[in-house]
Amino acid sequence: MFELTFGGGTVMKKIIVGITGASGTTYAISLLKALHDLPDIETHLVMSKWAVKNLELETDLTLTQVKNLADQIYNINDQGAAIASGSFLTTGMVILPASMKTIAGVAYGFADNLIGRAADVCLKERRKLIIVPRESPLSTLHLENMLKLSQMGVEIIPPIPAFYNHPQTIADLVNHNTMKLLDALGVRNEFSPRWQGDQNER
């Protein structure tokens, strides 16, 4: 895991966030907000064309507001971007929500846009890559593609809600997924209540 040390010895983690056109843009926004509030995190954001459309359909946020949550923003077609090269050191990448098209492209190295290329870089450089798949039901082909990625070390974290913490709002459900992503990235957080064990007498 690569980190950047700067003034005063603070350790900076560079994390790529790729947002694709699957439904569930709110999960990505939640993660971006959480990372934005951490001074030792530098976020590099790439959004597909359909991710931008889903932002409009699923949220009240503008594209500018979302971009303001990231430190660096890249065009989806910019194959010359810093994150397209393995020599640009990053901690890793999260693709969320991850469309089945993007997952298939990553699984077979079809880096036809910057999200696919940045993911391909993480694979070849053995850096952390997290996929948050958003589709239901899953076909055999979808499952085979995710299995292929898992066997290459990719972490698959579906946005499945938990109910042991008695969520009261949609935000509570989304925050639980954000907590799991931050955990996977090695970022300390208490973004959502954690399981403390069954306290009932048996």
Side-chain angles (χ1 to χ4, degrees):
M1 185 172 290
F2 295 101
E3 299 167 332
L4 176 67
T5 302
F6 61 102
T10 304
V11 175
M12 174 72 76
K13 292 184 177 181
K14 294 184 178 181
I15 297 173
I16 304 168
V17 176
I19 308 178
T20 76
S23 180
T25 310
T26 187
Y27 290 107
I29 293 170
S30 176
L31 179 64
L32 285 171
K33 286 180 177 179
L35 295 175
H36 183 263
D37 291 337
L38 300 171
D40 59 341
I41 301 292
E42 181 179 293
T43 52
H44 296 252
L45 174 64
V46 192
M47 298 179 68
S48 73
K49 176 181 70 174
W50 291 108
V52 174
K53 182 63 177 179
N54 272 352
L55 176 69
E56 175 187 336
L57 294 173
E58 298 181 350
T59 79
D60 295 325
L61 295 180
T62 66
L63 181 58
T64 298
Q65 287 174 312
V66 174
K67 287 182 176 180
N68 286 340
L69 295 173
D71 296 290
Q72 299 289 334
I73 301 99
Y74 304 93
N75 185 285
I76 187 66
N77 296 313
D78 185 7
Q79 295 281 29
I83 58 174
S85 172
S87 66
F88 183 76
L89 301 182
T90 66
T91 303
M93 180 177 187
V94 183
I95 304 178
L96 83 161
S99 67
M100 291 302 118
K101 176 183 177 181
T102 297
I103 288 174
V106 174
Y108 286 89
F110 191 61
D112 63 331
N113 61 39
L114 187 55
I115 291 178
R117 172 57 187 170
D120 197 51
V121 167
C122 287
L123 287 174
K124 76 183 184 71
E125 301 291 338
R126 303 294 194 268
R127 296 172 190 166
K128 181 173 285 292
L129 178 58
I130 300 170
I131 300 289
V132 182
R134 176 60 181 82
E135 187 60 274
S136 180
L138 293 165
S139 74
T140 301
L141 185 60
H142 299 155
L143 293 168
E144 287 176 346
N145 287 337
M146 285 189 279
L147 175 61
K148 184 180 179 73
L149 289 174
S150 179
Q151 290 171 335
M152 288 189 282
V154 177
E155 195 159 357
I156 311 292
I157 304 180
I160 297 174
F163 296 95
Y164 61 78
N165 53 3
H166 302 287
Q168 302 298 307
T169 65
I170 292 176
D172 291 340
L173 298 174
V174 172
N175 288 344
H176 180 80
N177 183 255
T178 300
M179 177 191 74
K180 295 187 75 66
L181 293 175
L182 294 173
D183 287 349
L185 288 167
V187 177
R188 287 187 179 183
N189 75 95
E190 292 300 329
F191 212 71
S192 179
R194 298 178 182 274
W195 177 250
Q196 302 297 327
D198 186 357
Q199 303 301 316
N200 296 324
E201 293 184 1
R202 300 191 180 189

